[in-house]
Amino acid sequence: MKKQTLLTAIFSLFLIIGINNTVEAQLGRSLIKSMRKKGKKNKKKKGNTKAKFAEFSSENDEMKISGQYFSFKEKSDMGLRFVKSAEGKIVNQLHVFFTDPDNPTYKFTMKESYYRKHQIKMFFVWPSASASSYIEMVEVDPGVFAVISGNRSLDRYEDPIPLFATREVVNVFAKDMTQFDTWDIETAQAKLDMIVGTLKGAASDKTKKKLMKYDVYKNYVGKIAFAKSTNVLRNQKDNQPTEKEANFITKQILGETVAFKPYFEKPLEQSHPGAWFNITYEMAGQKTDREALRNSSSVFGNNIPQIDDDKGRFYFWFPRVTINTSNNVADYAFLELLRLTQDKLTAGKIYDLKITIWAYKDGANIDPVASGTIQLEYATDANKTKKRLFEPVHGWVSKIEDVLDE
């Protein structure tokens, strides 16, 4: 019973992760303390545990879930019961019993659409509406459930259990302890990743079908759109690209703001699992690579962050910039390109800047996922390109030269 009490306490700890409300946190600690006290009392009643939950195995339900289960970590037992209806309503819940066979410790809610569409039995419970962490239980094999600690790091999804959240298997429950010969935490994690991959693929297909109704996505998938400000490329709702192609540009003064936004065939997490984004810039016979620069020195490493946001999206939520004159920021990889090409640039000339977004993994660019070219004109007016780039103190090229010389 001691191990069973510890398991219950571990679950309670997971449930209070991410709860900022003091009262709720105190209640969570009180619950754990109470369970520990119950465990000490139950410890004196030896030999009752298995009989207490064994009767669950005689129950039949349409999901074939109900029964006595054992914990992989603690080798203790508990009762699981699928409840289809309660008080005249369909609830589709998974009740988990750790101590009292008449009162469930937790009530998990079924993700009904996953079962209806894919026959995947997934249940979840939240500690509070505002919490970022939650617990899931997913059947990975008949009579075997993976216990999952999830974290909703992306907060713009309407789905109560976002597919692109972080999931970690923390335990395995099985009806028969011999099933642990096959199902440990590592194996359950691998199966969970496969299950979530199936769900993500289906969700992506559905999302892309919706996105193709928007001209901007349909016309720019696999490409990059350019604009004179980031505001032009922003949209307020996920998977609803409302930006107007009439506001896009194909030419800009060299040294002025260039914002850009790529549109992908598939989210990077689907097309290249484990990869993140890289960007290369090409102009006047020179090429710079963000990841190559980021790993070349502390100067570039400190000023070129890894791009691992938006891996679950069909486009960048926030557009990137080469230079943004409104808030005086720039991509150091683009500034390095300007530094390398400065002796080749001539007033009055127009140069093609090619930008490529890559899937990057294991120290190498794998595949391009979007690309685009914009023309940059070296203005003859000395107060434009020359001042923006080469003014001795505030010019962008002068700034990066000073930083590299430090």
Side-chain angles (χ1 to χ4, degrees):
M1 183 59 68
K2 181 178 179 182
K3 290 181 178 179
Q4 186 179 70
T5 305
L6 286 171
L7 177 62
T8 308
I10 289 169
F11 261 80
S12 299
L13 283 169
F14 278 128
L15 284 177
I16 62 173
I17 291 174
I19 301 178
N20 295 320
N21 185 284
T22 304
V23 176
E24 286 183 322
Q26 289 175 343
L27 286 173
R29 288 193 292 269
S30 298
L31 180 61
I32 295 170
K33 186 176 181 181
S34 174
M35 288 178 178
R36 285 174 177 164
K37 288 181 179 178
K38 288 180 181 178
K40 290 179 181 179
K41 291 180 181 179
N42 290 334
K43 186 177 180 181
K44 299 176 182 179
K45 300 178 182 180
K46 295 181 179 180
N48 293 331
T49 303
K50 294 192 182 302
K52 182 164 57 177
F53 294 113
E55 63 184 31
F56 281 65
S57 295
S58 63
E59 299 180 10
N60 294 314
D61 65 73
E62 62 182 78
M63 293 290 174
K64 303 185 185 308
I65 292 175
S66 299
Q68 180 187 35
Y69 283 74
F70 299 90
S71 162
F72 173 78
K73 281 190 172 180
E74 290 78 16
K75 301 301 186 288
S76 55
D77 71 327
M78 75 288 296
L80 267 62
R81 175 181 291 142
F82 176 73
V83 178
K84 183 176 180 62
S85 61
E87 299 179 353
K89 297 180 179 179
I90 300 296
V91 294
N92 287 330
Q93 294 178 339
L94 177 63
H95 291 188
V96 182
F97 301 76
F98 286 124
T99 54
D100 186 349
D102 297 318
N103 294 293
T105 309
Y106 300 111
K107 295 181 180 180
F108 286 71
T109 300
M110 186 179 194
K111 187 66 178 173
E112 295 182 24
S113 64
Y114 292 173
Y115 183 74
R116 185 174 65 254
K117 297 176 181 179
H118 308 285
Q119 290 70 59
I120 292 172
K121 301 172 188 176
M122 179 180 285
F123 301 84
F124 64 92
V125 64
W126 288 90
S128 74
S130 61
S132 61
S133 298
Y134 57 90
I135 297 176
E136 288 176 318
M137 290 185 64
V138 179
E139 188 181 65
V140 293
D141 202 49
V144 181
F145 274 86
V147 184
I148 300 153
S149 171
N151 186 279
R152 181 174 56 180
S153 58
L154 303 176
D155 59 3
R156 283 184 287 269
Y157 289 94
E158 297 178 358
D159 193 325
I161 302 295
L163 280 177
F164 298 100
T166 301
R167 286 176 167 84
E168 178 186 3
V169 175
V170 295
N171 208 342
V172 180
F173 294 164
K175 284 184 176 180
D176 188 336
M177 291 188 70
T178 61
Q179 291 174 295
F180 293 141
D181 294 340
T182 301
W183 292 100
D184 56 14
I185 289 177
E186 183 179 3
T187 306
Q189 183 71 57
K191 181 60 179 292
L192 172 67
D193 293 342
M194 291 177 61
I195 290 172
V196 174
T198 298
L199 296 172
K200 286 178 179 178
S204 291
D205 292 343
K206 180 180 178 181
T207 299
K208 186 167 183 176
K209 185 176 180 180
K210 176 182 177 182
L211 284 170
M212 291 299 287
K213 296 179 180 179
Y214 293 86
D215 288 340
V216 66
Y217 177 80
K218 182 173 65 176
N219 295 337
Y220 277 83
V221 63
K223 302 177 182 179
I224 294 175
F226 298 94
K228 292 183 179 181
S229 72
T230 55
N231 290 334
V232 171
L233 298 175
R234 288 181 183 174
N235 50 287
Q236 300 303 313
K237 293 185 178 181
D238 218 15
N239 298 321
Q240 295 183 28
T242 55
E243 48 269 36
K244 304 298 182 183
E245 290 185 61
N247 294 325
F248 296 171
I249 61 173
T250 58
K251 186 176 181 181
Q252 175 65 303
I253 299 297
L254 180 61
E256 297 292 333
T257 298
V258 173
F260 61 94
K261 180 175 183 176
Y263 300 83
F264 311 121
E265 287 277 359
K266 290 183 178 181
L268 192 69
E269 195 168 64
Q270 287 288 292
S271 63
H272 298 82
W276 60 89
F277 293 108
N278 188 23
I279 301 176
T280 58
Y281 299 98
E282 299 176 64
M283 185 177 72
Q286 290 286 346
K287 181 178 181 179
T288 55
D289 180 304
R290 279 178 58 94
E291 282 295 323
L293 290 171
R294 194 171 74 86
N295 292 290
S296 67
S297 70
S298 60
V299 172
F300 285 120
N302 292 332
N303 290 283
I304 302 179
Q306 179 176 310
I307 307 175
D308 52 12
D309 294 331
D310 299 322
K311 291 188 291 185
R313 293 192 169 89
F314 282 85
Y315 48 77
F316 282 176
W317 179 263
F318 292 105
R320 313 291 300 187
V321 296
T322 56
I323 290 174
N324 191 337
T325 58
S326 63
N327 57 9
N328 204 36
V329 299
D331 187 337
Y332 267 59
F334 178 69
L335 296 186
E336 175 65 359
L337 181 71
L338 294 178
R339 186 185 73 82
L340 294 174
T341 58
Q342 60 181 310
D343 293 335
K344 299 179 180 180
L345 302 178
T346 305
K349 293 289 186 70
I350 297 175
Y351 301 91
D352 288 339
L353 171 67
K354 182 180 180 181
I355 301 179
T356 304
I357 313 296
W358 297 84
Y360 181 90
K361 187 179 181 181
D362 298 330
N365 292 322
I366 306 172
D367 293 304
V369 290
S371 64
T373 299
I374 184 172
Q375 292 185 319
L376 299 180
E377 181 181 1
Y378 192 132
T380 54
D381 187 333
N383 290 320
K384 292 187 177 181
T385 301
K386 184 176 180 180
K387 183 176 181 179
R388 292 281 189 193
L389 301 186
F390 305 115
E391 196 276 331
V393 177
H394 302 294
W396 282 111
V397 174
S398 301
K399 284 183 178 180
I400 193 169
E401 287 179 331
D402 290 342
V403 171
L404 292 174
D405 287 340
E406 289 180 356

